[in-house]
Amino acid sequence: MVVLAYLRWLNGDRATAWSRVLAVVTLAIVAIWIGLATGVHDVTDKPLGTDFVAFWTAARMLGDEASAASVYNHARHGALQAQVFGPDAGYAPFPYPPTFLLICLPLGLFPYLPALAAWVLATGYAYWRVARAWLGQAAGLATPALAFPAVL
């Protein structure tokens, strides 16, 4: 903590300004990444929203088979991912509890990209609400909370 004593120049206004810069740079990178995508694949030929693949595939399987147990069959789960995203897209398992399927289920009603957009907007809104509630009187810290790279 002694090192922080020498950072007198880093006050709240500067931290907020740098957070805004970070937010703009992050949004620009995301826009470029999405702009360079081809269909559902990014420039590395992986599906956009790679982690979301497991949720959406599980939801699709539930819609097709109506069996929660099938979601945990790695061969079947992986086969559907390979069918939709191609054999080189990799495999994203679904290691979540069965109750999480209730959240995922509506996502399977939509094609991948609209479902991904809905997921990002819904979870982003939830994060925003929790961050605002947690910050309380320190609402001026909302910009750093939203610009934090892990939010992306």
Side-chain angles (χ1 to χ4, degrees):
M1 293 298 180
V2 175
V3 175
L4 294 178
Y6 297 109
L7 298 179
R8 296 191 199 319
W9 59 270
L10 185 58
N11 57 28
D13 291 338
R14 285 192 174 141
T16 300
W18 278 108
S19 296
R20 288 185 179 131
V21 169
L22 180 60
V24 168
V25 169
T26 300
L27 289 174
I29 290 170
V30 168
I32 291 168
W33 194 257
I34 292 171
L36 293 174
T38 306
V40 298
H41 293 92
D42 64 20
V43 295
T44 66
D45 206 30
K46 300 290 183 209
L48 288 167
T50 303
D51 294 342
F52 179 72
V53 168
F55 307 155
W56 184 81
T57 308
R60 279 290 206 202
M61 290 177 75
L62 283 175
D64 293 343
E65 301 175 24
S67 168
S70 65
V71 170
Y72 298 98
N73 180 324
H74 295 292
R76 294 173 81 183
H77 193 239
L80 180 57
Q81 288 180 21
Q83 177 186 347
V84 174
F85 302 105
D88 297 331
Y91 174 61
F94 188 83
Y96 306 96
T99 53
F100 189 62
L101 290 169
L102 295 171
I103 295 171
C104 296
L105 184 59
L107 300 168
L109 300 173
F110 303 101
Y112 183 75
L113 290 177
L116 175 61
W119 178 257
V120 169
L121 290 172
T123 57
Y125 179 71
Y127 175 80
W128 167 251
R129 293 296 304 251
V130 169
R132 293 283 295 185
W134 182 68
L135 291 170
Q137 297 298 327
L141 295 176
T143 301
L146 290 174
F148 181 62
V151 171
L152 174 63

